[in-house]
Amino acid sequence: MKNTKLAILYFLSIVMIIGGVVSCKSRVSRQLVRKKCVECHQKKVDEFKKAGVVHKPLKDNECESCHRPHGVIGGAYLKVSEKELCYTCHKEMKSVLDKKHLHAPTKKRECLSCHSPHSSENKNLLKGKGNNLCFICHKEDAYSRKMQHAPLSDKGCLTCHDAHGSDYEKSLFDSTDAVCRKCHDFKKPGFVKSHSGYKPEGNTCVFCHTPHSSSNTKLLREFVHTPLDQNQCKSCHNPPESERPLGVKNTGAELCYECHTKNRIAFAKGHVHDPVKKDNCLSCHSPHATDNKDATLLPDGKLCYSCHKEREDLIKKQHVHKPAGENNCTSCHNPHASNNDYELKETGKNLCYQCHKKDDFTQPNVHSPVKKGDCVTCHDPHASNHKFELRLAEIEQCYTCHQKEKMLFDRVNVHTPIRLGRCVVCHSPHSTTGENLLIQKKNELCFNCHKDMFDEISDGSVHESFAKGRCFTCHDEHASDNDFQLIEEGADNCYGCHKNIQTLSQKSKHTHMPIRNGKCTSCHNPHGSKIKGRLNRPAGSLCLSCHSGLALNIEKDEFQHAPAKERMCLKCHVPHYADIENLLTGEGVSLCKGCHNLNNPAMADAHSGIAINKTDCIGCHETHSAENNGLMHKILHPPFKEGSCKKCH
């Protein structure tokens, strides 16, 4: 029996294993069946295929040659990076990367700059036709002047250039002269005659002619040396029939001075540019023609940087002086000679005034460096990482001279412009009509920033000093150890003008606590208020904001004394100081009779006919509020409470 059970169990196990394998195989097989991209993206594929030239993988419906079908979060991701993908098929193109001169897209491995990855109407899947493709990156202006080189206008750029890379400069397919010889026969009589009988040699064609387009005939460059322009090559070169026809008649600057006689004298100055000193005119100028003004070999700035390499890094800074930023070095420097340091055209501020309006620097009060004509004390003449090409951050620049001020400004509370390092918010760095180089009159200056404070209270009670802009009466314009840059602390700041309050409060027996603690601003706004007395809030609520216990009783009790109910505290009290306790305006009945007619019969009846002309009302009555209509004290003498005054009196 036991053996039978084991046999059955063994058989069932085998069946389950076989069934599982078959089931898994079937399931795996279904998972591995993968659709091609075109089965879902047929519409897009058809759209691509309508073009005249279709990329072979797309043509063969083999999108997976370039794309992974899914990707991490879905989408058609490239199998390898874009910079390597094209070379997986176009292996022969990878050898181009070894060439000396590479077209920028080739160097960056950005094939898709020029080629479409799917299809195009142009040969080789190019994104544009002919030269138009090149003009996507290269500015067309330089190639579309009046006279155009035939290959450029007829056959296109690839007549002379390799689209990917070359071992020759400018990606030419051969050396410059070899490229030119492809179309031009240098030995042809007409060719020699047009060159004044001289036979050009080597890569010299582009010395005189532009390879693309020109405003001049014969494709001569934009700026042509006068002898060449007048077909007078013999002025500088040996005759064509001589042994060395292309040799020059004289050496160095001596040849140039044969025509430029005045320059020899003009260049004899205290500071001479090194090439001029070495008689090496051709280190900067072309003897034939160039596309640069004054026939220089390179545009102004680039020419200078070919020697002054350390200066080129300057223009990479955040703030660049306009001439330096425009590569216009000769705005300030004479390229040949000058009697001034660094071959400057003028000295000091006179040089700066060539561009900067003189009026901004010649007002009555002038900043010391400007007066001395030494602008470069503060400004770098080329570039800086600080605004206005300052040599240091603004406030640090000021502190290079104003060391004393730096020490004085090291206080607890600093005026916001100084804290932000912006001295020029208030001061002109050059010149002004105001004292201390202030950009405006003192009484107007603060309102540039704080006008809102004045507008809020202009139709109310304004502190005279504030209204007249005499802010410096109370505040230090730069820094202070007191809040709000106050000159003095607390009431001492007020007593400079309100001396009488200080004197009388000291003589009085009783002083209001804010006065005693020197906190005038507990009650008054120092600038002004729409409330009489320049109070921070209406008098009643202002008093009760400190006297909170009294405020609670007035609110709680059923009956209130009229002045207390109407929050007219100053009916009975003086606000600053008094000789009477509780700062009352009077003593005893004299205080009350201002409102209450003591001779009124009703008053006599209310007091049982007893004369009250010399009594102290507060002996019986509460001054602010009570739980009874007569404002009587809470605890009363029984005879008095019963109205039996005659028991005692």
Side-chain angles (χ1 to χ4, degrees):
M1 185 68 180
K2 186 177 180 181
N3 291 335
T4 303
K5 285 183 179 179
L6 285 171
I8 292 169
L9 184 61
Y10 181 69
F11 174 74
L12 288 173
S13 299
I14 291 172
V15 170
M16 288 174 69
I17 291 168
I18 293 170
V21 169
V22 171
S23 173
C24 288
K25 184 178 180 182
S26 173
R27 191 160 57 249
V28 170
S29 297
R30 284 198 300 273
Q31 286 178 342
L32 291 177
V33 173
R34 184 189 297 161
K35 288 184 178 182
K36 286 196 169 189
C37 300
V38 292
E39 292 183 52
C40 292
H41 302 285
Q42 189 64 55
K43 186 177 178 182
K44 197 71 179 173
V45 171
D46 290 343
E47 192 179 311
F48 286 142
K49 286 185 177 181
K50 285 178 184 177
V53 181
V54 182
H55 197 194
K56 190 175 185 304
L58 179 66
K59 193 174 186 179
D60 296 341
N61 293 330
E62 292 294 340
C63 306
E64 293 85 353
S65 295
C66 300
H67 298 283
R68 284 190 291 119
H70 297 100
V72 179
I73 54 172
Y77 288 88
L78 296 175
K79 291 174 74 175
V80 294
S81 70
E82 184 184 326
K83 292 185 176 182
E84 296 296 331
L85 182 63
C86 300
Y87 296 128
T88 56
C89 292
H90 302 281
K91 293 181 174 61
E92 75 287 353
M93 291 304 300
K94 200 161 189 177
S95 62
V96 175
L97 297 173
D98 297 327
K99 301 283 185 183
K100 290 180 182 177
H101 302 279
L102 297 177
H103 192 198
T106 307
K107 190 174 185 178
K108 295 175 183 176
R109 301 190 184 194
E110 294 175 350
C111 306
L112 300 188
S113 294
C114 301
H115 299 279
S116 171
H118 298 111
S119 62
S120 169
E121 294 298 339
N122 306 307
K123 188 179 177 183
N124 297 322
L125 293 169
L126 291 172
K127 287 185 173 180
K129 188 167 282 187
N131 296 344
N132 291 329
L133 175 64
C134 304
F135 294 149
I136 293 173
C137 296
H138 300 278
K139 286 186 179 179
E140 191 173 356
D141 296 353
Y143 304 87
S144 56
R145 287 176 285 207
K146 185 172 69 174
M147 302 299 295
Q148 292 188 358
H149 196 193
L152 179 69
S153 56
D154 298 339
K155 301 174 185 178
C157 306
L158 300 187
T159 305
C160 302
H161 300 280
D162 190 293
H164 297 104
S166 166
D167 284 328
Y168 301 97
E169 282 192 27
K170 311 293 184 185
S171 290
L172 293 170
F173 65 78
D174 206 335
S175 61
T176 307
D177 65 319
V179 172
C180 297
R181 288 179 191 276
K182 184 179 177 183
C183 299
H184 301 281
D185 185 352
F186 288 9
K187 294 179 180 179
K188 203 171 181 179
F191 186 89
V192 174
K193 184 180 178 182
S194 66
H195 288 82
S196 302
Y198 291 91
K199 297 176 183 178
E201 295 177 357
N203 298 322
T204 57
C205 303
V206 292
F207 288 2
C208 303
H209 303 280
T210 174
H212 300 115
S213 73
S214 172
S215 304
N216 300 318
T217 57
K218 304 297 183 183
L219 288 173
L220 285 171
R221 291 190 176 273
E222 298 299 298
F223 296 92
V224 185
H225 193 199
T226 303
L228 175 64
D229 195 33
Q230 296 175 354
N231 209 15
Q232 294 294 321
C233 303
K234 292 178 184 178
S235 298
C236 303
H237 294 281
N238 297 326
E241 63 277 4
S242 66
E243 188 178 337
R244 293 179 58 253
L246 294 177
V248 289
K249 291 180 175 180
N250 213 333
T251 58
E254 292 302 322
L255 177 63
C256 302
Y257 289 144
E258 287 181 9
C259 294
H260 301 280
T261 50
K262 290 181 180 179
N263 292 73
R264 185 193 287 270
I265 300 166
F267 296 165
K269 294 184 176 176
H271 298 272
V272 183
H273 195 196
D274 200 49
V276 178
K277 194 183 290 183
K278 294 177 179 177
D279 289 338
N280 191 2
C281 306
L282 300 188
S283 63
C284 298
H285 297 280
S286 167
H288 299 110
T290 172
D291 288 330
N292 306 306
K293 191 179 176 183
D294 299 318
T296 55
L297 296 172
L298 293 168
D300 193 345
K302 290 183 179 179
L303 177 65
C304 301
Y305 296 143
S306 61
C307 290
H308 302 282
K309 296 187 186 335
E310 76 289 350
R311 290 292 174 191
E312 189 170 15
D313 290 335
L314 284 173
I315 61 171
K316 295 174 185 174
K317 293 187 177 181
Q318 283 180 283
H319 300 278
V320 183
H321 192 198
K322 189 177 179 183
E326 294 175 350
N327 287 324
N328 192 4
C329 305
T330 54
S331 288
C332 302
H333 300 276
N334 188 305
H336 300 109
S338 166
N339 284 323
N340 307 313
D341 290 343
Y342 309 111
E343 291 87 59
L344 290 170
K345 289 184 173 180
E346 290 281 356
T347 56
K349 60 187 177 184
N350 291 326
L351 177 65
C352 302
Y353 289 157
Q354 290 184 354
C355 296
H356 299 279
K357 287 183 180 178
K358 191 174 181 179
D359 295 347
D360 296 335
F361 305 86
T362 54
Q363 296 183 73
N365 291 301
V366 185
H367 194 196
S368 178
V370 178
K371 191 180 288 185
K372 294 173 184 175
D374 200 2
C375 306
V376 294
T377 298
C378 301
H379 301 279
D380 189 292
H382 297 106
S384 166
N385 284 324
H386 306 291
K387 203 173 179 183
F388 307 117
E389 293 86 66
L390 289 172
R391 292 185 177 276
L392 299 168
E394 186 180 305
I395 198 163
E396 292 302 322
Q397 186 68 57
C398 298
Y399 286 154
T400 56
C401 294
H402 301 281
Q403 284 293 316
K404 181 182 175 184
E405 282 75 9
K406 183 179 182 180
M407 180 184 69
L408 290 172
F409 299 165
D410 187 16
R411 302 287 176 87
V412 175
N413 288 290
V414 183
H415 194 197
T416 300
I418 294 176
R419 183 163 46 80
L420 299 176
R422 298 298 322 281
C423 304
V424 295
V425 169
C426 302
H427 299 279
S428 168
H430 301 118
S431 73
T432 179
T433 55
E435 59 178 330
N436 297 323
L437 291 172
L438 290 173
I439 59 174
Q440 279 177 286
K441 292 178 181 177
K442 266 192 174 185
N443 62 343
E444 298 172 358
L445 182 62
C446 300
F447 293 127
N448 284 343
C449 295
H450 301 288
K451 190 172 186 302
D452 288 349
M453 292 173 65
F454 183 78
D455 291 343
E456 286 174 7
I457 57 171
S458 58
D459 56 347
S461 173
V462 185
H463 195 188
E464 185 184 14
S465 296
F466 185 58
K468 294 183 177 179
R470 296 201 302 262
C471 306
F472 304 139
T473 304
C474 303
H475 300 277
D476 188 290
E477 61 264 55
H478 296 114
S480 166
D481 287 328
N482 304 315
D483 290 343
F484 309 111
Q485 294 132 244
L486 291 172
I487 294 171
E488 298 288 348
E489 192 174 9
D492 290 337
N493 213 49
C494 304
Y495 292 152
C497 296
H498 304 282
K499 191 75 179 173
N500 60 319
I501 292 179
Q502 183 185 25
T503 303
L504 292 172
S505 66
Q506 289 171 347
K507 289 180 179 179
S508 300
K509 292 180 182 179
H510 303 280
T511 310
H512 196 194
M513 186 176 286
I515 293 279
R516 193 160 63 245
N517 293 339
K519 293 183 177 179
C520 307
T521 55
S522 293
C523 300
H524 299 283
N525 187 302
H527 298 111
S529 168
K530 292 189 177 182
I531 301 165
K532 188 178 178 181
R534 297 193 290 279
L535 295 176
N536 289 323
R537 60 174 81 176
S541 60
L542 178 64
C543 297
L544 296 178
S545 66
C546 288
H547 300 283
S548 54
L550 183 59
L552 187 63
N553 287 335
I554 293 173
E555 186 69 29
K556 181 184 68 173
D557 291 338
E558 185 178 352
F559 300 96
Q560 291 89 28
H561 189 198
K565 185 177 182 178
E566 295 169 11
R567 305 292 192 266
M568 297 174 67
C569 307
L570 298 184
K571 276 271 189 183
C572 304
H573 302 278
V574 291
H576 297 116
Y577 47 81
D579 286 328
I580 304 171
E581 194 174 0
N582 296 321
L583 301 179
L584 291 170
T585 57
E587 286 186 285
V589 74
S590 65
L591 174 65
C592 302
K593 69 182 182 182
C595 295
H596 300 280
N597 184 357
L598 304 184
N599 298 318
N600 190 325
M603 183 69 75
D605 290 344
H607 291 84
S608 302
I610 298 172
I612 57 171
N613 290 334
K614 295 181 180 180
T615 59
D616 185 358
C617 304
I618 60 174
C620 300
H621 298 282
E622 292 288 344
T623 53
H624 298 101
S625 66
E627 294 176 356
N628 56 76
N629 192 24
L631 298 178
M632 308 300 290
H633 289 316
K634 193 171 186 178
I635 300 171
L636 300 174
H637 189 208
F640 178 72
K641 186 176 183 180
E642 295 164 2
S644 302
C645 301
K646 291 180 180 179
K647 283 188 177 182
C648 301
H649 294 281

